[in-house]
Amino acid sequence: MNYLNSLQRILSVDPSRMQVLYAVRDLQLRDCWVGAGFVRDAVWDHMHGDWHHSLSGDVDVVWYDPECCTPDDERHLEKELKQQLPAFNWSVKNQARMHLRNGDNPYHSTENALLYWPETATAVGVRLGDNDLIEVIAPYGLDDLFELRLRPTPAFEREKYDVFRRRVEEKRWLARYPQLQLIN
C-alpha cells in the first residue's frame, strides 16, 4: 500500500489542515514542518472511519534554524500564526535548541530531531511545497501510523519509557482509537 499517497490525500481533503499548511508555508522558515498530532490524528481518525473529525489540540510547527534560536522568536511566530488563524492552538519550536530541553545531543535538522520524538507514529512532519504538493518526512516510515501501531521510538524504549507510557494514558489514545495496537 502506498501510505505516502494516502497521507497526502487525507490531508488535502481537510480544509482546516490545508489552511494550516498554507499559513505555515507563508512563514518561509528553514526546514519547517507541521507534525505530531496534526498528522497522527488525521490518519487515525480516518482509519477509524471519522473522516470529518475537527482539528483539535496543538498545531505543532517545527523548524531548524541555528540563527533564530530564542523562545522569543518562537513566541513571535506563534503570535503571528494566531493572528492569522486564531481558532488553532499553535506551538512553534525551533529544533536547533530543543535538544537542550530534551537532554539529547544536538539535532542536525528537523528530520533528525523527529528521531527523538516519543512515538514512531507521531514522528512525522508535513509541509506544503512550492508546487502545493504535500511533502512528508518520516524517519521511522509511515507503516506504524497507518497500521495503527503505537510504539515508542528507540529514544523512548528504555530510559524514557515511562514518558511514553504516561503519554499513552494522558492522551487516551487506546480509548479514542480502539483499533490501535500498543507495541511494547
Side-chain angles (χ1 to χ4, degrees):
M1 171 149 252
N2 189 333
Y3 293 140
L4 175 61
N5 287 340
S6 295
L7 177 57
Q8 290 168 326
R9 191 170 38 259
I10 289 167
L11 296 175
S12 68
V13 299
D14 185 324
S16 295
R17 283 183 169 80
M18 289 305 295
Q19 271 188 306
V20 165
L21 291 175
Y22 279 108
V24 170
R25 181 178 70 181
D26 289 346
L27 294 175
Q28 297 184 339
L29 297 171
R30 286 178 41 184
D31 195 11
C32 185
W33 304 84
V34 183
F38 179 87
V39 176
R40 181 197 61 234
D41 291 355
V43 172
W44 288 355
D45 287 343
H46 173 79
M47 300 299 288
H48 281 81
D50 188 355
W51 284 75
H52 302 291
H53 191 87
S54 62
L55 180 56
S56 62
D58 290 343
V59 175
D60 293 294
V61 178
V62 292
W63 90 103
Y64 185 87
D65 186 350
E67 303 297 319
C68 186
C69 238
T70 70
D72 286 339
D73 295 323
E74 294 167 358
R75 282 190 289 275
H76 170 74
L77 292 166
E78 286 173 357
K79 183 178 177 185
E80 188 175 330
L81 288 167
K82 188 72 169 172
Q83 287 174 340
Q84 190 174 358
L85 294 171
F88 303 115
N89 185 23
W90 297 95
S91 174
V92 180
K93 299 288 183 251
N94 187 345
Q95 300 305 290
R97 68 179 202 86
M98 294 311 294
H99 69 283
L100 298 169
R101 183 186 81 174
N102 298 334
D104 298 324
N105 290 324
Y107 307 140
H108 308 291
S109 66
T110 300
E111 186 169 11
N112 177 244
L114 267 57
L115 289 169
Y116 298 91
W117 285 18
E119 308 88 26
T120 57
T122 299
V124 178
V126 297
R127 69 179 175 194
L128 204 54
D130 293 334
N131 59 358
D132 287 350
L133 179 68
I134 296 172
E135 301 172 351
V136 178
I137 55 172
Y140 298 104
L142 299 174
D143 290 0
D144 283 352
L145 177 63
F146 276 90
E147 294 172 17
L148 299 169
R149 292 190 296 246
L150 184 53
R151 171 194 326 261
T153 62
F156 284 79
E157 285 179 340
R158 291 183 178 76
E159 295 84 23
K160 296 182 180 181
Y161 186 75
D162 287 343
V163 174
F164 166 77
R165 288 297 299 191
R166 198 167 32 253
R167 284 176 52 83
V168 171
E169 291 169 17
E170 289 172 359
K171 294 187 178 282
R172 300 180 18 90
W173 286 322
L174 297 173
R176 286 175 50 202
Y177 303 109
Q179 296 174 43
L180 280 180
Q181 308 163 53
L182 181 61
I183 309 293
N184 293 321

